[in-house]
Amino acid sequence: MENREKQSPWEEFLAIRGMRQVLTVTVALAILCVAFSFLSPSFHSGRNVGNLLRQVAPIFIIGIGQTYVLITGNIDLSIGSVVGMSCMISATLMTKGVNPWIAMLLTIIVCIGVGILNGALVAKWKLPPFIATMGTMTIARGVAQIVNNNYNTDAVGDAAQTFRNVFYYGKILGLYNTIWIAVVLFLVFDFLLSKTRSGRYIYAVGSNIEASKLSGVNTARSITIAYVVSAFCACVVGLITSAAAGMGTMDAGNMYELYAVAAAVIGGVSTLGGQGILIGTVIGASIWGVLQNGLQFAGAPVAIRNIVIGTIVVISVLLDVVIRTGKPRKKTKE
Amino acid sequence: MGEYIVELNHINKSFPGVRALDDASFNLKSGEVLALVGENGAGKSTLMKILSGAYMRDDGEMKILDQVIEDLTPKKAQKLGVAIIDQELNMCSHLSVAENIFLGHEKTHSGVLSNKEMNREAKAILDRLNIDIDPATIVGDLATSKQQMVEIAKALSINAKILIMDEPTSSLTSNEIDDLFIIIRKLKVEGCGIVYISHRLEELQHIADRVIIMRDGRCIVSMNFEDTNTSEIISNMVGHEIKEEFPRVTCKQGKKIFEVKNLNAGKMVRNINFDLYEGEIVGIAGLMGAGRTETTRAIFGADPKESGKIFVDGKKVIINGSIDAIRAGIVLVPEDRRRDGLCIRLTVQDNIALPNWDLLCNKIGVVDKKKEKAMTDKAVSNLRVKLTNAGTNVGTLSGGNQQKVVVAKWLARNSRVVIFDEPTRGIDVAAKVEIYNIMNKLKQQGIGVLFVSSEMPEVMGISDRILVMCDGKITGELATEEATQDQILQCATKFDSKFEQAVNI
């Protein structure tokens, strides 16, 4: 075509949706890693890196789901509670002597039910997503409490040892299985998001739901898919948690929904919808983990860690706005 | 004081690409109801927005109540006593009547709101107008007509001497119109000057003393209402010549492609019947709010319909949602491209591919990148959208190019009927011609083209047949060769009469 310039591969790479922000935060991540290595030499020891990755993995997995929902222009506050629910249901079933794999399957089914409920509330009955998922958040936490009569469970027992190894303690090629689970989920859901029709619809719905509807997109279905992915990811995190502790704890996953938002937002996912890529959430979650871990190694108290991380979240969103528009946002008309 | 309370002389106002007001001169006496009429885009609203301070004039002289006014802001206009009541009511529906009336100039006692005093004064104003509304009522609970009266009361609370009303009766029933007219007459007796903008010419004879007709940004003529009649007004409204050249191709009319029978969808789509043949473009003309957009949306399945049958190529199709319409080969290029047509933050490629994933994916829904690229490249080059690459965000394109992307996404699939709703609004002349060429090309390919436009020259220049709508109904069908602007406007103002008899004092 005469009026189209040839692009270099680098330009093409940069043109990928949200790639610039991802590169920016990747540089930030690298700087953080170097800085913490200087502050405390044990930070970059092989053992710590392995632990660090395993620590980050749940935040990342739950971030995948939240990213899906954020791209549709909605939010899912229920996932923290779904983690708790998944943890309690799976552990309770196992202590009652149910085969761990069947327990896992049942847990996944229940959690996906929450995702479908969220999708129906938001997409079909048009509830504001904040309110709808705040409701299911409370309900799911209640379910987590009621499954074992308001007690944490006992130890899941020897029958569940394989389950615990698969989800947490085992290693493949020197990396903890938790990390491998995160990698597999990333590959699957990244493929779904960037290479399939359903994935493209997720972006379209978040960018302009009215135009999508008029283009023949089943918008309710796309939003529900996002919530189901979100609930499924939270469910996996719940299973990891019960495998790690060897028991069910009722307040597992507390606040995770917000950690997930933070990871996604640091990685360049727009809360207004239509923007963001999963690799960004990986980096975002890593920054989160490196800060937690690094500040801990550097001897910073919890209070300081919270203040720093909160500040980083705000700054990264502000940066995104400034990079995109050249000035702080006044009122976008989009 | 002179004879006039408002005098606007030689006002000019331009917007990028459009000359909205061209040496317009306007005046208003105290104690008169002045009807301001003109076609869409004649400049009525712009002129009134200048008078109420919403727009700044480029040049010209402005005198309000014998004061020469330089820069006018909405706040200053209010102080001078100019109040405007828009077609869309601007009320805080969760607040009470009194709170709305005094919004922005609340009564306070040492900083504390005095609800008692505001309720009392609101009551006094409402009584003066013989409006029976309790000032403590929540505005949202009132009927539209009552809300409108509250707006009038609000205008009077700032002692408005000049009241501008834009299509005040469009959502009122005949009884409510009677009530409104009684109030207008009362205000007139009290010495207010009232500017009454309306397309409903028949209604004006019950209320107007004088009429000013606008055309192409100018005030063409001022007449006493008694000395004129509807057909004289209409011929003055349309008097402009068609200057632009429209590319026209002639095709042989082929077989019937598309038919709509007894379509009903709410108040604005009432018993619509028409058909569409191969090799023709059918234009739908009408004034703002005639129900044209609603009709296209109902056909396309974007809004639910109450009844009606749709046939494509002689076969009945059932359309419950947009997806059904698309599958049946009917597509819509919507009126508001930023709201309904484009995902502004996605790329050109994403937007073009959006309705076409069924063609670009394999059975399990995985995207075929090669096909996607081929489709977008072809679409972009066919329509000559100017961009560096298809990965550009649509938000960064010009209006004309954005419009071409909206068209492109539909032309990438084989459709039978393409509906364009105001396709040339807000785009430059060169891009307009390109859109016309696209429509002509579709016509030559035997694809049915339905085309809604408020620009009369455009409708007459491009279509082969013209349907005219008014008040949700088709009020006329004309062959373009025989149609005149007068005829179209006659049809476009055929409102259902809301009056059984003339109401006079």
Side-chain angles (χ1 to χ4, degrees):
Chain A
M1 246 144 296
E2 66 282 353
N3 53 13
R4 292 180 61 185
E5 292 158 17
K6 204 83 196 114
Q7 273 186 305
S8 71
W10 172 245
E11 276 173 320
E12 226 165 88
F13 176 72
L14 276 183
I16 297 174
R17 202 180 354 247
M19 195 45 93
R20 281 164 199 272
Q21 164 94 0
V22 171
L23 288 179
T24 320
V25 288
T26 311
V27 172
L29 177 63
I31 294 172
L32 279 177
C33 289
V34 173
F36 282 125
S37 304
F38 274 110
L39 279 172
S40 87
S42 50
F43 175 80
H44 67 275
S45 70
R47 205 159 143 228
N48 186 44
V49 170
N51 279 329
L52 174 66
L53 285 175
R54 189 163 64 166
Q55 209 181 341
V56 170
I59 300 292
F60 166 61
I61 294 171
I62 205 167
I64 295 178
Q66 189 70 282
T67 303
Y68 264 66
V69 177
L70 288 176
I71 292 175
T72 64
N74 295 296
I75 194 165
D76 190 348
L77 295 179
S78 71
I79 43 181
S81 296
V82 172
V83 171
M85 202 175 93
S86 154
C87 178
M88 282 302 290
I89 293 178
S90 59
T92 307
L93 288 172
M94 282 183 250
T95 53
K96 298 264 185 321
V98 177
N99 175 301
W101 306 112
I102 293 181
M104 180 187 85
L105 216 64
L106 290 172
T107 311
I108 291 176
I109 291 170
V110 175
C111 291
I112 283 181
V114 177
I116 292 172
L117 176 63
N118 281 332
L121 290 175
V122 173
K124 206 157 176 219
W125 292 306
K126 315 278 181 224
L127 260 62
F130 193 95
I131 305 298
T133 60
M134 195 174 72
T136 51
M137 167 179 96
T138 317
I139 294 168
R141 187 61 71 189
V143 172
Q145 286 156 342
I146 214 166
V147 282
N148 198 32
N149 287 326
N150 235 338
Y151 287 106
N152 291 339
T153 69
D154 299 331
V156 290
D158 295 339
Q161 201 52 50
T162 334
F163 167 80
R164 296 186 66 186
N165 284 339
V166 166
F167 275 92
Y168 197 75
Y169 290 101
K171 276 187 181 182
I172 298 172
L173 300 173
L175 277 180
Y176 286 114
N177 284 348
T178 312
I179 300 163
W180 285 112
I181 291 173
V183 170
V184 170
L185 289 181
F186 168 75
L187 291 176
V188 169
F189 286 117
D190 188 55
F191 179 81
L192 196 65
L193 192 58
S194 60
K195 299 279 192 308
T196 68
R197 196 200 313 193
S198 307
R200 300 301 173 97
Y201 285 168
I202 300 244
Y203 283 102
V205 166
S207 179
N208 188 342
I209 192 160
E210 204 49 46
S212 306
K213 222 179 274 170
L214 291 182
S215 298
V217 177
N218 185 340
T219 53
R221 209 184 76 169
S222 295
I223 291 172
T224 307
I225 287 176
Y227 275 110
V228 168
V229 168
S230 182
F232 173 76
C233 290
C235 180
V236 172
V237 173
L239 294 170
I240 291 171
T241 317
S242 70
M247 62 180 280
T249 44
M250 291 185 296
D251 62 351
N254 198 13
M255 295 280 285
Y256 271 30
E257 64 278 354
L258 298 183
Y259 299 164
V261 174
V265 163
I266 293 173
V269 179
S270 165
T271 51
L272 300 174
Q275 238 171 9
I277 47 179
L278 268 192
I279 190 80
T281 306
V282 178
I283 311 285
S286 307
I287 289 193
W288 175 276
V290 166
L291 278 172
Q292 287 278 15
N293 183 285
L295 287 170
Q296 193 178 359
F297 267 83
V302 178
I304 298 295
R305 272 187 263 159
N306 283 338
I307 291 172
V308 170
I309 292 171
T311 313
I312 298 276
V313 170
V314 174
I315 289 179
S316 61
V317 178
L318 196 64
L319 250 181
D320 176 39
V321 173
V322 173
I323 289 171
R324 221 176 326 151
T325 63
K327 55 177 180 278
R329 169 164 33 212
K330 277 187 190 152
K331 236 187 194 171
T332 45
K333 270 196 171 169
E334 295 190 346
Chain B
M1 198 185 280
E3 190 190 357
Y4 296 111
I5 51 175
V6 175
E7 281 177 79
L8 302 174
N9 292 320
H10 311 294
I11 302 285
N12 285 304
K13 174 77 187 171
S14 295
F15 295 107
V18 207
R19 182 135 201 207
L21 291 177
D22 181 6
D23 198 26
S25 297
F26 169 94
N27 49 41
L28 179 69
K29 287 180 231 172
S30 103
E32 76 166 347
V33 176
L34 171 69
L36 187 61
V37 299
E39 270 190 85
N40 300 328
K44 296 169 303 207
S45 307
T46 313
L47 189 65
M48 289 304 107
K49 279 184 174 158
I50 285 174
L51 179 56
S52 62
Y55 288 162
M56 207 71 99
R57 62 191 187 273
D58 294 342
D59 51 54
E61 188 188 61
M62 187 185 224
K63 244 173 154 182
I64 298 176
L65 299 170
D66 278 345
Q67 255 177 288
V68 176
I69 310 289
E70 290 307 325
D71 289 346
L72 191 65
T73 61
K75 189 130 199 170
K76 225 162 154 187
Q78 255 189 30
K79 255 198 192 136
L80 283 166
V82 181
I84 186 161
I85 298 170
D86 276 323
Q87 201 172 348
E88 307 290 327
L89 300 177
N90 295 310
M91 306 281 264
C92 303
S93 55
H94 296 98
L95 301 183
S96 76
V97 169
E99 281 166 328
N100 266 292
I101 289 178
F102 288 102
L103 192 65
H105 52 107
E106 288 81 0
K107 302 272 173 203
T108 53
H109 282 301
S110 46
V112 181
L113 282 179
S114 166
N115 281 327
K116 233 196 214 160
E117 196 183 332
M118 284 194 280
N119 278 338
R120 201 175 51 234
E121 282 201 29
K123 181 90 188 126
I125 296 169
L126 293 168
D127 283 349
R128 205 174 105 207
L129 294 169
N130 285 336
I131 303 172
D132 182 26
I133 301 174
D134 179 2
T137 323
I138 300 301
V139 164
D141 296 340
L142 294 171
T144 322
S145 58
K146 299 276 181 199
Q147 293 190 16
Q148 201 162 31
M149 290 173 187
V150 176
E151 283 253 29
I152 296 173
K154 184 175 170 182
L156 293 184
S157 77
I158 58 161
N159 287 319
K161 283 271 158 273
I162 297 139
L163 196 60
I164 305 161
M165 304 174 107
D166 192 353
E167 286 281 355
T169 58
S170 56
S171 52
L172 302 188
T173 65
S174 61
N175 284 336
E176 292 168 341
I177 294 177
D178 284 351
D179 290 345
L180 177 73
F181 282 6
I182 289 168
I183 291 172
I184 291 179
R185 291 196 188 98
K186 223 173 146 71
L187 293 172
K188 193 170 114 175
V189 174
E190 288 181 14
C192 282
I194 295 156
V195 182
Y196 189 101
I197 303 177
S198 182
H199 288 312
R200 293 157 197 263
L201 302 180
E202 173 253 359
E203 178 182 296
L204 294 177
Q205 60 202 17
H206 301 295
I207 193 79
D209 301 309
R210 190 160 65 100
V211 57
I212 286 185
I213 298 164
M214 288 193 75
R215 185 169 84 206
D216 299 332
R218 269 180 246 205
C219 296
I220 293 299
V221 66
S222 157
M223 296 183 282
N224 278 330
F225 211 90
E226 284 168 5
D227 310 335
T228 182
N229 56 48
T230 315
S231 64
E232 192 185 358
I233 292 174
I234 286 187
S235 57
N236 271 302
M237 280 163 76
V238 295
H240 56 160
E241 329 141 31
I242 299 174
K243 282 170 256 156
E244 292 140 275
E245 289 284 322
F246 292 94
R248 184 176 262 291
V249 291
T250 29
C251 292
K252 231 185 80 202
Q253 200 181 49
K255 60 181 196 319
K256 190 191 281 183
I257 316 173
F258 183 59
E259 190 173 1
V260 173
K261 269 191 180 163
N262 301 322
L263 179 70
N264 280 287
K267 248 171 61 186
M268 296 318 290
V269 184
R270 296 191 283 162
N271 205 20
I272 301 291
N273 285 290
F274 69 90
D275 39 26
L276 187 58
Y277 291 84
E278 260 180 8
E280 69 167 356
I281 296 176
V282 171
I284 304 183
L287 297 164
M288 299 281 179
R292 294 166 298 165
T293 296
E294 289 83 351
T295 304
T296 60
R297 285 180 60 97
I299 293 172
F300 187 59
D303 294 330
K305 45 183 164 292
E306 284 143 21
S307 64
K309 291 182 187 137
I310 291 169
F311 299 87
V312 176
D313 288 325
K315 268 186 268 159
K316 191 180 166 198
V317 290
I318 293 172
I319 296 174
N320 291 320
S322 308
I323 184 75
D324 300 328
I326 296 166
R327 287 202 186 116
I330 306 167
V331 299
L332 170 70
V333 178
E335 181 182 16
D336 186 335
R337 56 180 170 269
R338 286 180 78 91
R339 200 189 66 204
D340 297 334
L342 292 172
C343 295
I344 280 300
R345 272 174 298 180
L346 299 186
T347 62
V348 172
Q349 181 161 330
D350 287 328
N351 272 286
I352 291 177
L354 181 59
N356 304 314
W357 288 115
D358 50 338
L359 310 174
L360 298 177
C361 292
N362 64 14
K363 277 195 200 99
I364 55 162
V366 178
V367 174
D368 186 331
K369 284 253 180 200
K370 260 190 218 141
K371 275 193 199 164
E372 184 187 4
K373 193 158 165 30
M375 175 188 271
T376 27
D377 283 350
K378 194 170 150 232
V380 164
S381 67
N382 272 348
L383 294 185
R384 297 196 289 149
V385 184
K386 289 180 197 73
L387 34 89
T388 46
N389 71 74
T392 319
N393 272 2
V394 267
T396 60
L397 300 181
S398 71
N401 278 327
Q402 284 185 0
Q403 185 67 311
K404 282 195 239 169
V405 173
V406 183
V407 176
K409 78 176 189 183
W410 288 123
L411 301 193
R413 63 190 300 129
N414 297 322
S415 303
R416 291 300 289 147
V417 179
V418 183
I419 307 171
F420 292 86
D421 192 357
E422 302 280 4
T424 62
R425 177 171 293 167
I427 65 180
D428 61 62
V429 181
K432 273 185 189 179
V433 173
E434 289 191 60
I435 298 281
Y436 299 143
N437 287 335
I438 293 165
M439 288 164 60
N440 282 332
K441 213 160 112 192
L442 292 174
K443 170 174 156 183
Q444 284 166 319
Q445 289 167 0
I447 292 168
V449 180
L450 194 62
F451 160 52
V452 172
S453 173
S454 297
E455 308 272 329
M456 220 185 281
E458 182 177 277
V459 177
M460 298 181 74
I462 290 297
S463 0
D464 300 290
R465 196 148 54 90
I466 300 169
L467 303 172
V468 189
M469 283 189 74
C470 176
D471 235 7
K473 290 194 289 198
I474 293 182
T475 49
E477 180 177 340
L478 309 158
T480 305
E481 309 94 68
E482 295 150 20
T484 63
Q485 298 194 45
D486 279 47
Q487 275 177 322
I488 294 176
L489 208 55
Q490 292 276 12
C491 297
T493 51
K494 264 193 209 157
F495 287 92
D496 285 350
S497 177
K498 284 181 180 172
F499 292 90
E500 294 306 317
Q501 61 209 34
V503 222
N504 282 311
I505 291 177

